[in-house]
Amino acid sequence: MEQKENRLKEQILSLVKEYYAETFGKSKEFIPGKTFVNYGGRYFGEEELVNLVDSSLDFWLTAGPWAHRFEKRFADWLSVKFCSLTNSGSSANLLAFMALTSSELGERRIKRGDEVITVACGFPTTVTPCIQYGAVPVFVDITVPEYNIDVTQLEQAYSKKTKAVMIAHSLGNAFNLKAVKEFCDTHNLWLVEDNCDALGTEYTLDGETRKTGTFGHIGTSSFYPPHHMTMGEGGAVYTNDPLLHRLINSFRDWGRDCWCMGGVDNTCKSRFSKQYGELPLGYDHKYVYSHFGYNLKVTDMQAAIGCAQLEKLDQIVSARRDNFNFLKERLKGIKGLILPEAEKNSNPSWFGFLISVAEDAGFTRNELSEYLEKNRIQTRNLFAGNLLKHPAFDEMKKSGEGYRVIGELVNTDFVMNNTFWIGVYPGMKPEMLQFMVDTIKDFVASH
């Protein structure tokens, strides 16, 4: 029976490879002005499709062997001790923050009313968990053309209520980890690195080069399709701290106290022999809840795709850097355009190519973006631009409570009005990159 099952599986997976070659494996001709140039998208081969079908035939469905395999391999790739898969990058940020609210952290835990230093220029879910919990985000400005936190404002943002710094490496460019880490170490603050847009970015600190996401207490990643690697939906939280790892898994897995993997019982060897809270002695440890948690796990099928993606992640990072350098070299010197600059001591794994339109350019960001879109080149703003300007903050503004702002956020507003980005993902063909360059040059020349 087992031999027949294996033979059938081999036949199915062989057909999957054939299907991939017929459906996805054929390169399509690029026609300038007609072929749509996406800013990002799925980048995959037959391996991802084979893994997906292979895992589906096991019909495990929830997190299982593929998920555990990915967590181990991804942690090794990052050179960290622990990794926890979750269902999105936003959930990864939620788990990273909520872990820091646990009473098990004693005086260092984040309580309602405590402050977290961050920026308003970025993606909202870096800040959302803080607000939803009842902590107070403290917004500081960014610098241009790095598009990361202005570290000169950190001391001004600090107060006796400050417990953490939670910020993203903007569009793949590392923030000034040297200054931020020194600030956090001086004031005994938690550091959470939102690494969702910067997977593979490297930073050198005190002579040691490591991947971003591994310098702080907790790092997060997203595996949404346009990101560096994908599972369709998915994310990860990683740390070197065993206590934080256990807390992250507790909040991810319903808030339970038990740390057994799915399908495994009695890892602690005392499943029915301890007393928790006001529960009766010997209450089943698998159903003891030490936190108000969630169910934020992935399916094994998602993890199987991730395992195949991880095998080509180094190649993906290299291609993104090459595509960024192609655009940077050919767009430099164009009047009216401000091009991105890598943070000192960093080697970014770029998510996109940022362009700001100078105030005296003679044209606006929107005019240039609309021209590119009309020529079927996809553009994106730098996410929220200024998060405080969005309707989500209307009620908080009326009450005048719930957040603090340092200064005027001048550069944040500049980005909101003047900045956009185009793609550098590995699916870009050289002729696509050149077409983007030519189209931008044509527009500027006509204005």
Side-chain angles (χ1 to χ4, degrees):
M1 185 68 178
E2 185 176 342
Q3 288 182 341
K4 184 177 181 181
E5 289 175 357
N6 290 337
R7 187 174 70 253
L8 284 170
K9 179 179 274 193
E10 288 177 5
Q11 291 174 354
I12 291 169
L13 297 183
S14 177
L15 285 171
V16 170
K17 293 178 182 178
E18 185 178 335
Y19 178 84
Y20 170 84
E22 185 65 28
T23 307
F24 301 108
K26 297 176 181 179
S27 180
K28 297 180 180 179
E29 180 187 4
F30 174 69
I31 304 173
K34 292 187 177 181
T35 304
F36 195 62
V37 183
N38 299 78
Y39 78 87
R42 304 169 302 170
Y43 180 76
F44 65 102
E46 66 174 31
E47 302 87 356
E48 284 82 352
L49 210 56
V50 167
N51 277 13
L52 174 61
V53 174
D54 190 355
S55 63
S56 71
L57 294 174
D58 294 336
F59 210 65
W60 189 287
L61 298 184
T62 188
W66 285 99
H68 304 320
R69 189 180 311 168
F70 179 89
E71 287 175 333
K72 175 64 169 62
R73 292 180 181 178
F74 192 55
D76 289 344
W77 189 84
L78 289 164
S79 296
V80 295
K81 293 179 181 178
F82 308 109
C83 169
S84 303
L85 264 177
T86 185
N87 59 3
S88 73
S90 298
S91 292
N93 283 340
L94 174 64
L95 291 171
F97 179 84
M98 290 303 297
L100 301 180
T101 70
S102 172
S103 61
E104 295 189 42
L105 298 176
E107 290 301 311
R108 293 196 67 189
R109 70 179 291 200
I110 298 175
K111 299 177 182 177
R112 290 170 179 81
D114 285 339
E115 295 181 347
V116 178
I117 296 173
T118 189
V119 298
C121 183
F123 202 76
T125 56
T126 310
V127 180
T128 299
C130 172
I131 294 173
Q132 291 178 330
Y133 175 73
V136 178
V138 179
F139 295 104
V140 302
D141 208 357
I142 62 164
T143 62
V144 176
E146 296 83 10
Y147 303 96
N148 277 310
I149 186 169
D150 182 353
V151 296
T152 66
Q153 295 187 343
L154 284 171
E155 288 295 342
Q156 186 181 353
Y158 178 77
S159 80
K160 292 181 179 179
K161 293 183 177 181
T162 307
K163 287 289 185 68
V165 175
M166 185 167 177
I167 45 178
H169 299 287
S170 186
L171 227 67
N173 198 12
F175 58 75
N176 186 340
L177 274 158
K178 183 177 188 299
V180 173
K181 264 192 65 64
E182 287 176 354
F183 172 77
C184 289
D185 291 345
T186 297
H187 297 288
N188 196 30
L189 306 177
W190 298 109
L191 173 57
V192 179
E193 294 177 72
D194 180 337
N195 202 41
C196 291
D197 293 342
L199 189 57
T201 292
E202 295 171 329
Y203 189 90
T204 302
L205 180 62
D206 297 330
E208 181 185 11
T209 300
R210 287 155 49 188
K211 292 182 174 70
T212 54
T214 68
F215 289 87
H217 298 91
I218 304 176
T220 63
S221 283
S222 170
F223 305 133
Y224 192 66
H227 281 104
H228 293 67
M229 59 169 287
T230 187
M231 297 179 181
E233 300 284 356
V237 192
Y238 29 97
T239 182
N240 284 309
D241 187 313
L243 173 57
L244 291 178
H245 176 60
R246 181 167 62 79
L247 295 174
I248 289 162
N249 285 349
S250 176
F251 279 101
R252 182 193 65 179
D253 302 349
W254 305 283
R256 66 179 186 171
D257 196 76
C258 174
W259 57 82
C260 292
M261 295 187 297
V264 178
D265 293 342
N266 207 24
T267 304
C268 63
K269 306 300 182 185
S270 54
R271 181 178 170 192
F272 298 107
S273 62
K274 290 191 176 182
Q275 197 271 328
Y276 303 93
E278 298 179 9
L279 292 168
L281 177 67
Y283 196 84
D284 188 350
H285 190 219
K286 285 189 73 73
Y287 291 95
V288 174
Y289 301 95
S290 51
H291 300 98
F292 294 107
Y294 316 90
N295 179 6
L296 300 176
K297 299 189 299 300
V298 296
T299 68
D300 229 31
M301 292 174 284
Q302 289 172 272
I305 297 170
C307 285
Q309 287 269 285
L310 192 52
E311 294 298 318
K312 58 191 70 169
L313 186 51
D314 288 327
Q315 168 202 334
I316 288 170
V317 170
S318 178
R320 284 181 171 274
R321 286 175 177 147
D322 288 344
N323 291 345
F324 179 92
N325 291 336
F326 183 102
L327 294 174
K328 182 75 178 283
E329 179 64 26
R330 287 159 179 79
L331 290 173
K332 67 181 180 182
I334 297 180
K335 186 177 180 182
L337 301 186
I338 301 171
L339 304 185
E341 293 291 341
E343 175 64 35
K344 184 181 178 182
N345 300 319
S346 76
N347 183 19
S349 172
W350 295 98
F351 186 43
F353 190 90
L354 280 155
I355 299 173
S356 289
V357 175
E359 298 281 8
D360 60 354
F363 54 88
T364 67
R365 185 268 311 277
N366 285 1
E367 288 171 340
L368 176 51
S369 293
E370 288 172 8
Y371 183 80
L372 292 172
E373 295 280 354
K374 286 178 182 177
N375 282 275
R376 301 187 62 75
I377 297 170
Q378 195 172 37
T379 67
R380 288 290 185 267
N381 289 350
L382 188 50
F383 308 128
N386 183 344
L387 186 58
L388 296 169
K389 304 290 187 181
H390 288 257
F393 272 82
D394 286 352
E395 290 301 314
M396 294 174 72
K397 286 179 181 176
K398 289 177 184 177
S399 68
E401 299 177 348
Y403 67 95
R404 286 201 297 121
V405 180
I406 305 303
E408 300 296 326
L409 302 185
V410 173
N411 286 333
T412 300
D413 284 340
F414 174 83
V415 167
M416 177 180 63
N417 292 308
N418 297 76
T419 303
F420 73 101
W421 57 279
I422 52 179
V424 296
Y425 86 111
M428 292 278 188
K429 299 177 180 179
E431 53 266 37
M432 292 178 174
L433 294 165
Q434 188 60 54
F435 177 63
M436 290 195 292
V437 170
D438 293 340
T439 306
I440 291 171
K441 286 183 174 179
D442 288 344
F443 173 85
V444 174
S446 68
H447 287 73

